[in-house]
mmCIF file of all heavy atoms in Angstrom:
data_model
loop_
_atom_site.group_PDB
_atom_site.id
_atom_site.type_symbol
_atom_site.label_atom_id
_atom_site.label_comp_id
_atom_site.label_asym_id
_atom_site.label_seq_id
_atom_site.Cartn_x
_atom_site.Cartn_y
_atom_site.Cartn_z
ATOM 1 N N SER T 6 -36.982 28.368 -5.974
ATOM 2 C CA SER T 6 -37.177 27.460 -7.148
ATOM 3 C C SER T 6 -36.318 26.166 -6.999
ATOM 4 O O SER T 6 -36.572 25.154 -7.736
ATOM 5 C CB SER T 6 -36.849 28.124 -8.496
ATOM 6 O OG SER T 6 -35.424 28.455 -8.511
ATOM 7 N N ARG T 7 -35.407 26.122 -6.071
ATOM 8 C CA ARG T 7 -34.507 24.949 -5.833
ATOM 9 C C ARG T 7 -35.219 24.058 -4.765
ATOM 10 O O ARG T 7 -35.810 24.499 -3.834
ATOM 11 C CB ARG T 7 -33.168 25.322 -5.347
ATOM 12 C CG ARG T 7 -32.391 26.115 -6.310
ATOM 13 C CD ARG T 7 -31.028 26.411 -5.699
ATOM 14 N NE ARG T 7 -30.347 27.411 -6.527
ATOM 15 C CZ ARG T 7 -29.434 28.129 -6.022
ATOM 16 N NH1 ARG T 7 -28.925 27.923 -4.804
ATOM 17 N NH2 ARG T 7 -28.820 29.022 -6.817
ATOM 18 N N GLY T 8 -34.996 22.725 -5.126
ATOM 19 C CA GLY T 8 -35.488 21.803 -4.092
ATOM 20 C C GLY T 8 -34.556 21.742 -2.901
ATOM 21 O O GLY T 8 -33.386 22.093 -3.088
ATOM 22 N N THR T 9 -35.139 21.290 -1.805
ATOM 23 C CA THR T 9 -34.252 21.190 -0.585
ATOM 24 C C THR T 9 -33.575 19.846 -0.653
ATOM 25 O O THR T 9 -34.217 18.827 -0.882
ATOM 26 C CB THR T 9 -35.186 21.259 0.654
ATOM 27 O OG1 THR T 9 -35.900 22.509 0.619
ATOM 28 C CG2 THR T 9 -34.375 21.257 1.958
ATOM 29 N N ASP T 10 -32.339 19.882 -0.304
ATOM 30 C CA ASP T 10 -31.462 18.592 -0.303
ATOM 31 C C ASP T 10 -31.741 18.000 1.007
ATOM 32 O O ASP T 10 -31.436 18.498 2.117
ATOM 33 C CB ASP T 10 -30.079 18.988 -0.458
ATOM 34 C CG ASP T 10 -29.172 17.747 -0.502
ATOM 35 O OD1 ASP T 10 -29.737 16.642 -0.657
ATOM 36 O OD2 ASP T 10 -27.931 17.857 -0.476
ATOM 37 N N THR T 11 -32.337 16.818 1.033
ATOM 38 C CA THR T 11 -32.711 16.115 2.260
ATOM 39 C C THR T 11 -31.816 14.921 2.453
ATOM 40 O O THR T 11 -32.102 14.068 3.357
ATOM 41 C CB THR T 11 -34.177 15.672 2.223
ATOM 42 O OG1 THR T 11 -34.373 14.855 1.127
ATOM 43 C CG2 THR T 11 -35.076 16.965 2.202
ATOM 44 N N THR T 12 -30.760 14.766 1.648
ATOM 45 C CA THR T 12 -29.896 13.588 1.824
ATOM 46 C C THR T 12 -29.039 13.732 3.030
ATOM 47 O O THR T 12 -28.604 14.847 3.382
ATOM 48 C CB THR T 12 -28.964 13.389 0.586
ATOM 49 O OG1 THR T 12 -28.145 14.604 0.441
ATOM 50 C CG2 THR T 12 -29.752 13.132 -0.687
ATOM 51 N N ALA T 13 -28.895 12.697 3.684
ATOM 52 C CA ALA T 13 -28.021 12.720 4.993
ATOM 53 C C ALA T 13 -26.648 12.740 4.521
ATOM 54 O O ALA T 13 -26.154 12.107 3.556
ATOM 55 C CB ALA T 13 -28.397 11.488 5.723
ATOM 56 N N ILE T 14 -25.776 13.416 5.377
ATOM 57 C CA ILE T 14 -24.329 13.501 5.093
ATOM 58 C C ILE T 14 -23.699 12.421 5.938
ATOM 59 O O ILE T 14 -23.916 12.314 7.152
ATOM 60 C CB ILE T 14 -23.769 14.850 5.549
ATOM 61 C CG1 ILE T 14 -24.431 16.002 4.749
ATOM 62 C CG2 ILE T 14 -22.308 14.895 5.483
ATOM 63 C CD1 ILE T 14 -24.073 17.360 5.118
ATOM 64 N N SER T 15 -23.033 11.424 5.163
ATOM 65 C CA SER T 15 -22.373 10.377 5.911
ATOM 66 C C SER T 15 -21.091 10.864 6.556
ATOM 67 O O SER T 15 -20.483 11.845 6.091
ATOM 68 C CB SER T 15 -22.120 9.254 4.954
ATOM 69 O OG SER T 15 -21.229 9.682 3.962
ATOM 70 N N SER T 16 -20.647 10.190 7.599
ATOM 71 C CA SER T 16 -19.335 10.582 8.262
ATOM 72 C C SER T 16 -18.244 10.121 7.363
ATOM 73 O O SER T 16 -18.314 9.199 6.614
ATOM 74 C CB SER T 16 -19.249 9.836 9.639
ATOM 75 O OG SER T 16 -19.248 8.433 9.372
ATOM 76 N N VAL T 17 -17.247 10.953 7.331
ATOM 77 C CA VAL T 17 -16.029 10.762 6.453
ATOM 78 C C VAL T 17 -15.010 10.080 7.312
ATOM 79 O O VAL T 17 -14.830 10.454 8.440
ATOM 80 C CB VAL T 17 -15.570 12.112 5.940
ATOM 81 C CG1 VAL T 17 -14.332 11.938 5.035
ATOM 82 C CG2 VAL T 17 -16.648 12.815 5.108
ATOM 83 N N THR T 18 -14.402 9.090 6.722
ATOM 84 C CA THR T 18 -13.325 8.446 7.386
ATOM 85 C C THR T 18 -12.051 8.553 6.617
ATOM 86 O O THR T 18 -12.091 8.593 5.378
ATOM 87 C CB THR T 18 -13.591 6.927 7.701
ATOM 88 O OG1 THR T 18 -12.551 6.339 8.390
ATOM 89 C CG2 THR T 18 -13.941 6.151 6.434
ATOM 90 N N THR T 19 -10.990 8.583 7.295
ATOM 91 C CA THR T 19 -9.656 8.740 6.594
ATOM 92 C C THR T 19 -8.986 7.381 6.303
ATOM 93 O O THR T 19 -7.999 7.282 5.628
ATOM 94 C CB THR T 19 -8.683 9.625 7.291
ATOM 95 O OG1 THR T 19 -8.429 9.072 8.641
ATOM 96 C CG2 THR T 19 -9.187 10.995 7.385
ATOM 97 N N GLU T 20 -9.591 6.340 6.939
ATOM 98 C CA GLU T 20 -9.021 4.958 6.754
ATOM 99 C C GLU T 20 -9.423 4.382 5.511
ATOM 100 O O GLU T 20 -10.695 4.312 5.208
ATOM 101 C CB GLU T 20 -9.539 4.169 7.975
ATOM 102 C CG GLU T 20 -8.850 2.795 7.998
ATOM 103 C CD GLU T 20 -9.268 1.936 9.159
ATOM 104 O OE1 GLU T 20 -9.520 2.549 10.232
ATOM 105 O OE2 GLU T 20 -9.362 0.713 9.068
ATOM 106 N N ARG T 21 -8.509 3.996 4.704
ATOM 107 C CA ARG T 21 -8.889 3.276 3.442
ATOM 108 C C ARG T 21 -9.263 1.880 3.624
ATOM 109 O O ARG T 21 -8.786 1.144 4.471
ATOM 110 C CB ARG T 21 -7.575 3.201 2.521
ATOM 111 C CG ARG T 21 -7.247 4.367 1.793
ATOM 112 C CD ARG T 21 -6.028 4.194 0.851
ATOM 113 N NE ARG T 21 -5.511 2.872 0.764
ATOM 114 C CZ ARG T 21 -4.386 2.579 0.155
ATOM 115 N NH1 ARG T 21 -3.634 3.501 -0.223
ATOM 116 N NH2 ARG T 21 -3.942 1.331 0.090
ATOM 117 N N LYS T 22 -10.237 1.477 2.837
ATOM 118 C CA LYS T 22 -10.687 0.110 2.792
ATOM 119 C C LYS T 22 -9.890 -0.589 1.661
ATOM 120 O O LYS T 22 -10.075 -0.169 0.588
ATOM 121 C CB LYS T 22 -12.143 -0.087 2.551
ATOM 122 C CG LYS T 22 -13.090 0.580 3.626
ATOM 123 C CD LYS T 22 -12.941 -0.218 4.892
ATOM 124 C CE LYS T 22 -13.877 0.462 5.909
ATOM 125 N NZ LYS T 22 -13.772 -0.034 7.214
ATOM 126 N N ILE T 23 -9.079 -1.537 2.019
ATOM 127 C CA ILE T 23 -8.208 -2.223 1.095
ATOM 128 C C ILE T 23 -8.774 -3.504 0.804
ATOM 129 O O ILE T 23 -8.872 -4.420 1.605
ATOM 130 C CB ILE T 23 -6.830 -2.284 1.650
ATOM 131 C CG1 ILE T 23 -6.268 -0.933 1.937
ATOM 132 C CG2 ILE T 23 -5.863 -2.950 0.582
ATOM 133 C CD1 ILE T 23 -4.963 -0.895 2.730
#
Side-chain angles (χ1 to χ4, degrees):
S6 65
R7 294 183 196 161
T9 305
D10 185 8
T11 59
T12 59
I14 298 173
S15 63
S16 63
V17 177
T18 179
T19 58
E20 187 177 327
R21 274 184 11 192
K22 298 291 184 194
I23 303 171

